[in-house]
Amino acid sequence: MSRPEIEIRDLHKSFGDNHVLRGIDLEIGQGEVVCVIGPSGSGKSTLLRCVNLLEEPTRGQVFVGGTEVTDPDVDIDAVRRRIGMVFQQFNLFPHLTVTENLALPQRRVLRRDKASALRIAAQNLERVGLAEKATAYPSSLSGGQQQRVAIARALAMGPEVMLFDEPTSALDPELVGDVLAVMRMLADDGMTMMVVTHEMTFAREVADRVVFMDGGVVVEDGTPEQVIAHPRHERTRHFLSRLLDPAMADVEEGTADQVGRSDPAGGRD
């Protein structure tokens, strides 16, 4: 593996009595695409948010590009400028056009002049296939188009790493494909990506590695062939069987999963 672009060491996170992350160790190399899968409540999104300190770990270390994010003296704003993040929700400003949504953070955070910000906005809208929507407002776009704008906005900041937290979960099924196509393009371009997802086709075809989490720990970590096609652990097999063929799940198991053996306090994903 190439040098770690993201390195996570013995990471713990608790919300009160709910111990969500229980000693995560994980490395993601430069240019790698790593998909994190697992049941609700397993700690996937919490782990992702700890990478750029949107959640502060209870214990452990996180490094991005060799800089320790968890160092109390770190310039976290400088680190975050190297990390793009795309959430489940699009978080676009409704009163701004698509171009203005891309230009505003460049000017506010990176202090780019207006002409440069507009030029980079146009380049990234072209990159995600939405050049014709430059003057549109978010309300006129489909959910898939809004998510592609959100990806373009993150890319316009020039990140070295992209984090995706279930980027297609809020979309109608017919809109998922266009967003995943953009993410495939980024992978082909060599972007380092950490993706929390339930899209198994994407994980199979695009990921270099798949990490299965349950109960706040990494249960399996390997190639898509190893983890999805030939999982070693019963917990992984059970999760994949429910995800790929929900009709096979019985009511009792479904109830147990809703209560969440890995998240008994009803805590966070």
Side-chain angles (χ1 to χ4, degrees):
M1 184 168 63
S2 57
R3 73 167 176 87
E5 190 68 32
I6 300 173
E7 186 175 2
I8 298 167
R9 301 178 184 170
D10 191 31
L11 196 71
H12 293 253
K13 176 62 181 179
S14 296
F15 297 97
D17 294 332
N18 186 16
H19 199 171
V20 177
L21 299 179
R22 299 170 178 266
I24 302 292
D25 291 294
L26 184 65
E27 290 186 0
I28 298 176
Q30 192 173 37
E32 265 200 313
V33 177
V34 174
C35 285
V36 183
I37 64 173
S40 177
S42 60
K44 308 181 302 294
S45 293
T46 299
L47 174 62
L48 196 74
R49 292 169 66 88
C50 283
V51 172
N52 62 359
L53 227 61
L54 290 179
E55 295 286 359
E56 187 170 347
T58 305
R59 188 169 84 242
Q61 294 175 294
V62 177
F63 297 82
V64 176
T67 300
E68 185 182 350
V69 177
T70 44
D71 184 337
D73 297 323
V74 75
D75 183 349
I76 190 60
D77 291 332
V79 174
R80 284 177 178 151
R81 285 196 285 270
R82 299 159 57 187
I83 304 172
M85 186 155 184
V86 178
F87 300 88
Q88 296 177 26
Q89 301 300 324
F90 324 123
N91 300 320
L92 301 177
F93 291 111
H95 64 290
L96 299 181
T97 66
V98 165
T99 294
E100 290 167 342
N101 266 282
L102 269 66
L104 180 64
Q106 296 181 63
R107 300 193 68 191
R108 290 274 180 87
V109 177
L110 302 180
R111 303 299 180 187
R112 286 179 180 153
D113 61 79
K114 183 177 181 180
S116 295
L118 293 176
R119 173 176 52 80
I120 292 169
Q123 290 172 349
N124 283 285
L125 286 175
E126 179 73 32
R127 199 174 177 188
V128 301
L130 289 175
E132 77 282 1
K133 299 296 185 181
T135 59
Y137 286 88
S139 61
S140 70
L141 305 181
S142 70
Q145 289 171 332
Q146 290 186 61
Q147 189 62 293
R148 286 152 64 195
V149 171
I151 294 173
R153 178 181 57 189
L155 293 174
M157 304 296 284
E160 300 167 13
V161 172
M162 287 286 289
L163 309 177
F164 293 87
D165 187 6
E166 293 281 12
T168 60
S169 65
L171 302 180
D172 292 333
E174 65 270 21
L175 302 177
V176 168
D178 289 342
V179 173
L180 294 180
V182 170
M183 295 171 65
R184 289 171 191 261
M185 174 269 294
L186 293 179
D188 290 342
D189 288 347
M191 176 67 73
T192 304
M193 297 164 60
M194 185 175 178
V195 184
V196 171
T197 185
H198 282 102
E199 298 290 344
M200 289 301 104
T201 299
F202 178 86
R204 279 197 195 100
E205 297 177 0
V206 180
D208 297 297
R209 285 165 45 220
V210 175
V211 172
F212 172 68
M213 289 182 62
D214 193 15
V217 301
V218 171
V219 178
E220 295 202 42
D221 179 353
T223 67
E225 176 71 14
Q226 291 168 332
V227 176
I228 298 176
H230 300 98
R232 298 186 306 276
H233 295 270
E234 177 59 32
R235 290 159 80 184
T236 315
R237 290 193 289 270
H238 177 71
F239 169 76
L240 290 170
S241 68
R242 291 178 59 81
L243 186 65
L244 300 174
D245 190 0
M248 295 296 292
D250 60 42
V251 174
E252 182 178 354
E253 287 178 335
T255 302
D257 276 357
Q258 290 171 15
V259 173
R261 65 179 181 277
S262 62
D263 195 1
R268 313 185 186 201
D269 192 12

